[in-house]
Each structure stands twice: as structure tokens, then as C-alpha cells.
């Protein structure tokens, strides 16, 4: 799942290939700003479509940042370019992970969060490939480093993944192998949702991702299954996301604060 290229500096780290991220869309909080969540779209999409949906949610104290992934050649598309957070060869348990691309995407997200006020709670969410990037960011937060060894700077308070999968699942136990990393993993709330009718990212991938995360120390992981749901979202699922974020980010008593 990797392809070669030059270099990029983002989020205080350097990787080997040049990646140009697309436009970022921001949804400002309608009430008092208490939390900021970077939301990551799926393969072939952009930040605009999700920003329009997130703006309608009853979460007035959250600022949403919706970046657009770089346009890059995608192996599963025969090299045809598409907006993607990292390269994908195929969705199988034995497929190699694009570590370089994942590090670059996680660094870009961390960079977007780096300018937020110190008292604001920070989260990352996403759909499909965006969910995979959010889950990968969670592992970087716990380990306090990217896969290339450079420091991961963001202090995360919540992770949401819809219809996604966990990259680098086979090596996660090694990455979260020290006591300090296990403590950070246990402190991070994670919500994973997946439709049982998903024919793009199979339900078993989401279910297994949840099990692996719990077994490697992410004890505050909630997994929600939806009968008949394909590779898209529904109001019931977004209601669950709203209630969960309100609880985990401590927004309940701040509702519509100004």
C-alpha cells in the first residue's frame, strides 16, 4: 500500500514523499467553543460534504475541521488518482499498510489541531478511510510517536470511526507495549460504528478492529453495530455519535452556552 515520492514537513515531522493536502473546511461552533474535532472523509470524497452534514448536528460547542485528503495514485484503482489519506492496495488482513502515508495523514491532522486553545478538548473522527486514519492517530497518541519514531504532539480526548478499519493491527501490541502507552490508551474514549450490510469495508473488519483495540489497551472502546446498514451513515448512527461526544467531551451541561 505504498508508493515512493519526495518529502513533506507537516505537524512537526518529516516524511519522504511530497503530499499536497486539499482545501480545509471549518464549521464554527454556534455556542461556547469547548471542543474541536477534525473529521476525515472517505476515499474519493472531500471535506466539504462532511462539513455540511456536521453543521446540522446538535453539537453547538464543537468546532469541526474538515480537511481534504491529497489527490494521489491509488493501487486498488490501478494507479488512478483519487483523494485519499493513504494508498490502498486491497482490503484484506494480509494487505501491507502504507505506513508513510498514514504517518503523513496523522501528522497533517495533528498540525490542524496544534493551533487550538490549550483548554479546548481535541478529537478526531472519520468515515471509512477517514475512520482508519482516526484509529491510526489514536495509536500514535498512545505511543506518543509515529511509526517512523518521531514525536506525536496532539493530546486527544476522543476518537470516532464510522465504517472503518484499524491499520497496522498486527503490530499494534508491539507499538503499545510499554506501561505509559497502555495508560494513555486506556484514557482515550473511542466509538466505532459499523453496518452489518457494508459491502465496501466488511462488517468483520470493524468488529475485529474493535476487539484488537480493546485487547491492546484501548479499554474505553465502544462498538455499535447496525443491522442492514451499508457503506454510508444514517440518522440513528449520527444520533449515537452526538450523544457519545456530548458525554465523553463533557458537553452536556454546556449545551448552548454562549
Amino acid at each position: 500500500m505504498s508508493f515512493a515520492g519526495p518529502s513533506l514537513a507537516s505537524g512537526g515531522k518529516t516524511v519522504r514523499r511530497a503530499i499536497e493536502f486539499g482545501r480545509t473546511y471549518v464549521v464554527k461552533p454556534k455556542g461556547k467553543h469547548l471542543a474541536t474535532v477534525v473529521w476525515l472523509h472517505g476515499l474519493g470524497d472531500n471535506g466539504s460534504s462532511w462539513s455540511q452534514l456536521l453543521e446540522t448536528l446538535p453539537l453547538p460547542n464543537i468546532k469541526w475541521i474538515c480537511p481534504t485528503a491529497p489527490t494521489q495514485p491509488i493501487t486498488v484503482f490501478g494507479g488512478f488518482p483519487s483523494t485519499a489519506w493513504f494508498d490502498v492496495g486491497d482490503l484484506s488482513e494480509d494487505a501491507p499498510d502504507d505506513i508513510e502515508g498514514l504517518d503523513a495523514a496523522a501528522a497533517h491532522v495533528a498540525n490542524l489541531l496544534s493551533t487550538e486553545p490549550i483548554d479546548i478538548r481535541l478529537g478526531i473522527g472519520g468515515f471509512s478511510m477517514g475512520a482508519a486514519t482516526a484509529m491510526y492517530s489514536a495509536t500514535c497518541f498512545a505511543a506518543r510517536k509515529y511509526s517512523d519514531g518521531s514525536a506525536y504532539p496532539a493530546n486527544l480526548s476522543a476518537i470516532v470511526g464510522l465504517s472503518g478499519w484499524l491499520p497496522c493491527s498486527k503490530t499494534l501490541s508491539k507499538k503499545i507495549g510499554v506501561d505509559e502507552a497502555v495508560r494513555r490508551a486506556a484514557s482515550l474514549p473511542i466509538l466505532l460504528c459499523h453496518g452489518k450490510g457494508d459491502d465496501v469495508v466488511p462488517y468483520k473488519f470493524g468488529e475485529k478492529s474493535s476487539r484488537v483495540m480493546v485487547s491492546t489497551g484501548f479499554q474505553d472502546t465502544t462498538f455499535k453495530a447496525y443491522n442492514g446498514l451499508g457503506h454510508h451513515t444514517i440518522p440513528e448512527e449520527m444520533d449515537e455519535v452526538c450523544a457519545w461526544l456530548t458525554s465523553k467531551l463533557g458537553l452536556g451541561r454546556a449545551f448552548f452556552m454562549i
Side-chain angles (χ1 to χ4, degrees):
M1 291 187 185
S2 62
F3 60 94
S7 66
L8 156 79
S10 177
K13 67 185 293 294
T14 302
V15 297
R16 295 180 182 175
R17 69 190 188 217
I19 297 176
E20 183 177 351
F21 290 88
R23 179 178 174 182
T24 296
Y25 299 80
V26 176
V27 178
K28 296 180 180 179
K30 298 177 177 66
K32 183 179 181 181
H33 182 200
L34 299 177
T36 296
V37 177
V38 173
W39 191 273
L40 306 171
H41 62 77
L43 179 62
D45 202 356
N46 59 64
S48 175
S49 59
W50 275 98
S51 70
Q52 294 173 48
L53 172 61
L54 296 170
E55 191 170 17
T56 68
L57 299 182
L59 294 168
N61 306 112
I62 293 181
K63 171 184 174 181
W64 300 96
I65 301 176
C66 303
T68 299
T71 298
Q72 52 186 314
I74 302 301
T75 301
V76 75
F77 292 162
F80 190 82
S82 180
T83 52
W85 300 109
F86 50 90
D87 189 23
V88 177
D90 68 272
L91 280 177
S92 71
E93 294 186 14
D94 296 323
D97 291 291
D98 177 14
I99 304 291
E100 194 176 318
L102 283 160
D103 271 354
H108 182 64
V109 173
N111 188 52
L112 291 172
L113 291 171
S114 66
T115 56
E116 292 303 294
I118 194 168
D119 59 336
I120 296 300
R121 295 190 175 187
L122 307 178
I124 304 173
F127 175 79
S128 193
M129 173 180 273
T133 306
M135 283 186 259
Y136 181 76
S137 295
T139 69
C140 294
F141 162 77
R144 272 291 182 233
K145 61 183 179 181
Y146 299 94
S147 290
D148 69 1
S150 55
Y152 182 82
N155 187 23
L156 303 178
S157 296
I159 296 289
V160 177
L162 310 182
S163 306
W165 73 95
L166 174 63
C168 309
S169 60
K170 290 184 177 180
T171 58
L172 184 55
S173 59
K174 182 178 179 180
K175 188 174 184 178
I176 316 294
V178 299
D179 289 344
E180 188 180 352
V182 172
R183 285 194 296 270
R184 281 194 296 270
S187 73
L188 181 61
I190 298 174
L191 173 65
L192 303 179
C193 302
H194 217 108
K196 290 189 174 182
D198 195 328
D199 58 355
V200 178
V201 181
Y203 172 79
K204 66 178 182 179
F205 280 41
E207 189 179 38
K208 184 172 182 179
S209 296
S210 175
R211 291 200 311 268
V212 171
M213 296 204 82
V214 171
S215 68
T216 50
F218 293 91
Q219 298 172 10
D220 192 2
T221 297
T222 301
F223 182 75
K224 295 287 185 178
Y226 296 86
N227 290 324
L229 177 63
H231 197 64
H232 55 271
T233 188
I234 53 175
E236 178 188 355
E237 185 180 42
M238 296 312 297
D239 288 346
E240 184 74 43
V241 170
C242 290
W244 187 87
L245 284 173
T246 297
S247 172
K248 296 299 183 179
L249 294 178
L251 306 179
R253 286 181 291 180
F255 199 70
F256 283 113
M257 285 177 62
I258 57 172

